[in-house]
Amino acid sequence: MTRAEFDAFCQTLTGATHVIQWGGASVWKVGGKIFAICSHWRAGETDRISFKCSDLSYRILTDLPGISPAPYLARAKWVLVETGEALDDEDTRAHITAAHEIIAGKLTRARRAELGLPVKSAARKATTGKPSRAGPGCA
């Protein structure tokens, strides 16, 4: 995926905003929080894509050839796609979409509503007004 394709795709995600920072990096945010970056991370390199992952995706992706923990962001479960062969464009778009959803999910309900994102409903409480101890799907 080229930088132009990366930018064009990220632009389609609800509430996404774009800035150029850190010496020319294409940085995509939702609600002011970064979910994906396209940049040359080291001198002399071509542009590479980096994005936020779930814990499971991080473990799986970093075991694949051509994908590594992202510099400076690995502790927050970000990966760096080192080569274009590591992920095809469809998979890259799916992971960027998931990154957008992860970051958007951390925003407040009010902020999500402002951005036109789906707003999670509040957890239901038992008639006592206290949260239920039962797990999801339990009565």
Side-chain angles (χ1 to χ4, degrees):
M1 176 178 284
T2 66
R3 183 174 179 148
E5 293 167 332
F6 168 82
D7 286 338
F9 177 71
C10 290
Q11 185 176 11
T12 68
L13 300 172
T14 304
T17 58
H18 180 244
V19 297
I20 301 293
Q21 58 189 80
W22 304 316
S26 184
V27 179
W28 285 89
K29 302 178 182 187
V30 59
K33 298 178 183 285
I34 302 169
F35 66 89
I37 302 168
C38 185
S39 179
H40 50 277
W41 288 91
R42 297 174 190 102
E45 292 184 344
T46 58
D47 284 334
R48 296 202 169 114
I49 295 171
S50 187
F51 49 81
K52 170 76 173 155
C53 301
S54 69
D55 290 348
L56 178 59
S57 291
Y58 180 82
R59 288 193 300 269
I60 292 168
L61 290 171
T62 55
D63 280 343
L64 297 176
I67 300 178
S68 63
Y72 312 107
L73 299 169
R75 65 180 174 81
K77 304 297 189 260
W78 278 67
V79 296
L80 175 65
V81 181
E82 302 260 3
T83 66
E85 296 79 36
L87 287 177
D88 63 27
D89 289 357
E90 183 179 344
D91 286 338
T92 301
R93 285 189 293 271
H95 283 291
I96 292 169
T97 299
H100 176 268
E101 291 170 359
I102 290 167
I103 299 303
K106 295 179 180 188
L107 300 174
T108 65
R109 289 179 54 167
R111 185 70 173 127
R112 291 173 60 81
E114 276 177 26
L115 295 170
L117 297 163
V119 178
K120 296 181 234 174
S121 61
R124 292 186 174 217
K125 295 182 180 181
T127 56
T128 62
K130 296 179 182 176
S132 171
R133 290 188 182 189
C138 298

